[in-house]
Amino acid sequence: MLHFIPLLLATFVLEAQAFCIFNMLKDKKPFRAIQIEDRISSSRRFNNLVNAGLMLYCCDPSEPTCVVEQKEGVPVYFEIQFWWRHNTDNKRKVECISGGDLFIKGSETDYWAECVYNGTRTRAPLEPL
C-alpha cells in the first residue's frame, strides 16, 4: 500500500497546476521552455531549463503570471529551445492547454510534443519560430 502514496501525491500535485512540462527525450538532453504571453512581463513568464526524467516543472494556477485568465482550458504557448548536436534549427513553438501537461518526446532526428488535458492525449505540433 505504501508504494501508491508517492503516485497519489504526484497526481494531486499535477492536478493543482496551471501546467507542467516534462522532458521525455530519449537522449536525455535538456531544453528550455519559455512561456509566450505578451500580457505577462518577460521577466515573470515561465522560463525553465527542463531536464530529463520525472522532475516536475510546473506553474502554480493561483499565479496570474502562469495563465492570465486564471482558469483551466485556455491555450498556453511555449517556445522550446533545443540544443541539438547536428541540427541548428533549434527553436519551436508549441501550444498546450492550461491545466494540462506538455510532454516533449523523441530524439534529435524525430521529436514531437504531446499535450494531455482531462485525460485526453493530443499530439501538439512543434512549429518553427
Side-chain angles (χ1 to χ4, degrees):
M1 182 68 174
L2 293 176
H3 309 42
F4 299 107
I5 291 174
L7 180 59
L8 290 173
L9 180 58
T11 301
F12 174 74
V13 168
L14 291 177
E15 287 178 359
Q17 301 302 321
F19 53 79
C20 293
I21 300 176
F22 297 89
N23 180 343
M24 306 301 285
L25 292 170
K26 291 178 185 176
D27 63 5
K28 311 276 190 237
K29 291 253 186 206
F31 60 81
R32 181 161 298 282
I34 304 167
Q35 186 178 9
I36 301 171
E37 173 55 78
D38 292 337
R39 296 172 290 172
I40 300 172
S41 119
S42 60
S43 64
R44 301 200 58 193
R45 292 179 202 155
F46 181 89
N47 182 340
N48 280 293
L49 183 65
V50 181
N51 291 301
L54 296 177
M55 300 191 59
L56 294 176
Y57 295 89
C58 300
C59 200
D60 188 329
S62 65
E63 180 61 47
T65 59
C66 291
V67 179
V68 174
E69 292 85 355
Q70 292 185 300
K71 64 181 181 179
E72 286 189 12
V74 297
V76 183
Y77 300 92
F78 299 95
E79 175 183 329
I80 305 295
Q81 298 175 350
F82 296 103
W83 290 284
W84 302 125
R85 178 179 261 174
H86 302 290
N87 187 349
T88 58
D89 184 18
N90 62 357
K91 291 184 180 181
R92 296 286 187 261
K93 177 182 175 181
V94 65
E95 175 185 338
C96 197
I97 303 296
S98 63
D101 300 317
L102 179 64
F103 294 86
I104 306 296
K105 298 181 170 187
S107 63
E108 180 176 354
T109 57
D110 181 28
Y111 56 95
W112 65 93
E114 294 176 354
C115 181
V116 178
Y117 179 69
N118 277 347
T120 301
R121 184 175 299 269
T122 306
R123 193 133 173 175
L126 284 161
E127 302 170 357
L129 275 176

